[in-house]
Amino acid sequence: QDALCRLVMEIKSFQALIPRLAIMCDECDVEWFMVLPRIVLLAFLKDPAGKLGELLRILLPHRFQGSATLAAGGAVATRELQDLLGRFRQASAALAQVAGASPAEGPAAQEAAWEVLARRVVNGSDAEALKGIGGGILQVQRKQALQTLEAFYLELE
């Protein structure tokens, strides 16, 4: 129950960031059902030891080893899921760098990266997701960040 409440909170935060998601949800748009699993996985990757970790363990038991809960340290993600978590962290770091955020900004850099990832999950477009991120950014940095993102999103599909 706590995990489902947490998921609802995550969905609401996505809707506040991307109003189109609220419309998809209200209209029971087919695309909503394609986006929902991506939101669940992205929210899990943001906080793998949190409440959504337990939900994911129930939904995808083959991706975890052990029968205890994640919070208790008994269930361990498989190597594939750990690799995905590593790619998520790399993509977040690359996006924070592309957004021009300095390491000293910490939470602000992470929030900027999270917004790009959330927009990419819902909109499915790198151009839309990166809208408004530093016009003077070198193309090489942008390309590197997008390559990291693309590998990450292939796992989401």
Side-chain angles (χ1 to χ4, degrees), residues 69-128:
T69 65
L70 282 173
V76 177
T78 60
R79 189 171 57 91
E80 294 86 4
L81 193 53
Q82 290 175 5
D83 289 346
L84 179 58
L85 183 56
R87 282 198 296 274
F88 169 77
R89 290 178 178 146
Q90 288 174 341
S92 295
L95 282 169
Q97 184 178 16
V98 167
S102 69
E105 291 180 53
Q110 291 173 350
E111 190 61 32
W114 175 253
E115 286 185 20
V116 171
L117 291 169
R119 289 182 193 284
R120 177 60 168 87
V121 162
V122 175
N123 296 325
S125 164
D126 292 322
E128 180 65 26

Side-chain angles (χ1 to χ4, degrees), residues 32-67:
W32 161 243
F33 297 101
M34 294 171 37
V35 170
L36 181 59
R38 292 177 177 192
I39 290 172
V40 172
L41 187 55
L42 189 62
F44 162 76
L45 293 171
K46 183 179 178 185
D47 183 17
K51 294 183 189 312
L52 286 178
E54 290 306 311
L55 179 62
L56 203 65
R57 187 182 63 81
I58 292 167
L59 295 173
L60 301 173
H62 62 285
R63 293 292 182 192
F64 295 89
Q65 300 166 346
S67 59

